[in-house]
Amino acid sequence: QVRLVESGGGLAQAGGSLSLSCVASGDMKRVNSLGWYRQAPGKKRELVAIITDFGSIYYGDSVKGRFTISRNDQKNTVYLQMGNLRPEDTAVYYCNADYQEDDAVVDFWGQGTQVTVSS
Protein backbone atom coordinates (compact mmCIF):
# COMPACT_ATOMS: atom_id res chain seq x y z
CA GLN A 1 0.00 0.00 0.00
CA VAL A 2 0.92 3.67 -0.29
CA ARG A 3 0.47 6.69 1.94
CA LEU A 4 0.36 10.15 0.42
CA VAL A 5 0.89 13.41 2.30
CA GLU A 6 0.30 16.68 0.49
CA SER A 7 1.57 20.14 1.34
CA GLY A 8 1.38 23.55 -0.22
CA GLY A 9 -1.60 25.26 -1.73
CA GLY A 10 -3.40 28.16 -0.11
CA LEU A 11 -4.59 31.45 -1.51
CA ALA A 12 -3.38 33.23 -4.64
CA GLN A 13 -4.56 36.00 -6.91
CA ALA A 14 -5.47 35.42 -10.51
CA GLY A 15 -2.32 35.33 -12.59
CA GLY A 16 -0.24 34.21 -9.64
CA SER A 17 1.54 30.98 -8.81
CA LEU A 18 1.38 28.25 -6.21
CA SER A 19 3.12 24.95 -5.75
CA LEU A 20 2.08 21.63 -4.25
CA SER A 21 4.15 18.73 -2.99
CA CYS A 22 3.19 15.16 -2.20
CA VAL A 23 5.40 12.72 -0.35
CA ALA A 24 4.64 9.06 -0.95
CA SER A 25 5.62 6.20 1.31
CA GLY A 26 5.06 2.46 1.20
CA ASP A 27 5.59 -0.08 -1.55
CA MET A 28 6.73 2.33 -4.25
CA LYS A 29 7.80 -0.48 -6.58
CA ARG A 30 4.15 -1.16 -7.27
CA VAL A 31 3.27 2.44 -8.07
CA ASN A 32 2.63 2.93 -11.78
CA SER A 33 2.13 6.66 -11.64
CA LEU A 34 1.83 9.63 -9.31
CA GLY A 35 -0.34 12.59 -10.03
CA TRP A 36 -2.77 15.29 -9.08
CA TYR A 37 -6.52 15.53 -9.37
CA ARG A 38 -8.84 18.29 -8.21
CA GLN A 39 -12.42 18.66 -7.19
CA ALA A 40 -14.34 21.91 -7.08
CA PRO A 41 -17.62 22.23 -5.15
CA GLY A 42 -20.44 20.55 -7.02
CA LYS A 43 -18.15 19.14 -9.67
CA LYS A 44 -16.59 15.78 -10.38
CA ARG A 45 -12.98 15.07 -9.53
CA GLU A 46 -10.86 15.75 -12.60
CA LEU A 47 -7.36 15.00 -13.78
CA VAL A 48 -4.81 17.76 -13.37
CA ALA A 49 -1.60 15.94 -14.22
CA ILE A 50 0.06 12.57 -13.86
CA ILE A 51 3.60 11.32 -14.34
CA THR A 52 4.29 7.66 -14.86
CA ASP A 53 7.19 5.61 -13.58
CA PHE A 54 8.60 5.79 -17.11
CA GLY A 55 8.44 9.57 -17.03
CA SER A 56 5.47 10.03 -19.35
CA ILE A 57 3.40 13.08 -18.46
CA TYR A 58 -0.24 13.82 -19.07
CA TYR A 59 -2.12 17.04 -18.33
CA GLY A 60 -5.77 17.89 -18.15
CA ASP A 61 -6.80 20.18 -21.00
CA SER A 62 -7.64 23.07 -18.69
CA VAL A 63 -4.13 23.28 -17.21
CA LYS A 64 -1.93 22.60 -20.21
CA GLY A 65 0.70 25.26 -20.62
CA ARG A 66 0.13 26.63 -17.12
CA PHE A 67 0.91 23.77 -14.72
CA THR A 68 4.02 21.60 -14.54
CA ILE A 69 4.30 18.22 -12.83
CA SER A 70 7.61 16.72 -11.79
CA ARG A 71 8.90 14.02 -9.48
CA ASN A 72 11.94 13.23 -7.42
CA ASP A 73 12.21 9.48 -7.05
CA GLN A 74 14.95 9.69 -4.43
CA LYS A 75 12.55 11.62 -2.23
CA ASN A 76 9.40 9.76 -3.40
CA THR A 77 7.88 13.16 -4.00
CA VAL A 78 5.73 14.54 -6.78
CA TYR A 79 5.37 18.27 -7.33
CA LEU A 80 2.87 20.47 -9.08
CA GLN A 81 3.92 23.96 -10.07
CA MET A 82 0.86 26.04 -10.92
CA GLY A 83 1.20 29.26 -12.87
CA ASN A 84 -1.09 31.85 -14.42
CA LEU A 85 -3.76 30.78 -11.98
CA ARG A 86 -7.41 31.43 -12.68
CA PRO A 87 -10.40 31.58 -10.34
CA GLU A 88 -11.66 28.37 -11.95
CA ASP A 89 -8.56 26.59 -10.62
CA THR A 90 -10.08 26.89 -7.15
CA ALA A 91 -10.57 23.38 -5.82
CA VAL A 92 -9.31 20.78 -3.40
CA TYR A 93 -6.26 19.18 -4.94
CA TYR A 94 -5.60 15.52 -4.27
CA CYS A 95 -2.41 13.58 -4.73
CA ASN A 96 -2.95 10.21 -6.38
CA ALA A 97 -0.95 6.99 -6.68
CA ASP A 98 -1.87 4.36 -9.23
CA TYR A 99 -0.93 1.13 -7.45
CA GLN A 100 -0.54 -2.28 -9.04
CA GLU A 101 -1.90 -5.07 -6.91
CA ASP A 102 -1.69 -8.71 -8.03
CA ASP A 103 -5.04 -8.70 -9.82
CA ALA A 104 -6.05 -5.08 -10.13
CA VAL A 105 -4.99 -1.47 -10.15
CA VAL A 106 -5.97 0.51 -7.07
CA ASP A 107 -6.01 4.26 -6.53
CA PHE A 108 -4.61 5.73 -3.34
CA TRP A 109 -5.38 9.32 -2.38
CA GLY A 110 -3.96 11.98 -0.14
CA GLN A 111 -6.09 13.98 2.24
CA GLY A 112 -6.40 16.91 -0.16
CA THR A 113 -5.19 20.49 0.01
CA GLN A 114 -7.23 23.59 -0.74
CA VAL A 115 -6.24 25.97 -3.52
CA THR A 116 -8.19 29.20 -3.76
CA VAL A 117 -7.67 31.73 -6.53
CA SER A 118 -9.22 35.17 -6.18
CA SER A 119 -10.07 37.39 -9.11
Side-chain angles (χ1 to χ4, degrees), residues 43-114:
K43 293 188 176 182
K44 293 181 179 179
R45 191 170 294 190
E46 65 173 359
L47 169 71
V48 177
I50 59 171
I51 182 167
T52 73
D53 54 352
F54 292 105
S56 297
I57 292 175
Y58 303 91
Y59 291 101
D61 288 341
S62 60
V63 306
K64 286 179 181 177
R66 300 188 299 121
F67 291 10
T68 301
I69 189 171
S70 61
R71 64 191 288 172
N72 182 322
D73 289 336
Q74 284 70 40
K75 296 182 179 180
N76 288 336
T77 301
V78 61
Y79 306 94
L80 185 69
Q81 182 64 41
M82 302 180 289
N84 192 18
L85 285 163
R86 304 167 181 169
E88 53 264 39
D89 293 319
T90 296
V92 178
Y93 284 69
Y94 296 92
C95 184
N96 168 267
D98 189 82
Y99 183 86
Q100 185 69 54
E101 292 192 341
D102 290 341
D103 299 326
V105 175
V106 177
D107 284 319
F108 285 90
W109 300 94
Q111 79 280 4
T113 186
Q114 178 71 45

Side-chain angles (χ1 to χ4, degrees), residues 6-12 17-22 36 80-82 85 89 91-93 112-117:
E6 300 124 334
S7 61
L11 179 64
S17 300
L18 285 172
S19 60
L20 304 179
S21 299
C22 173
W36 295 92
L80 185 69
Q81 182 64 41
M82 302 180 289
L85 285 163
D89 293 319
V92 178
Y93 284 69
T113 186
Q114 178 71 45
V115 170
T116 302
V117 183

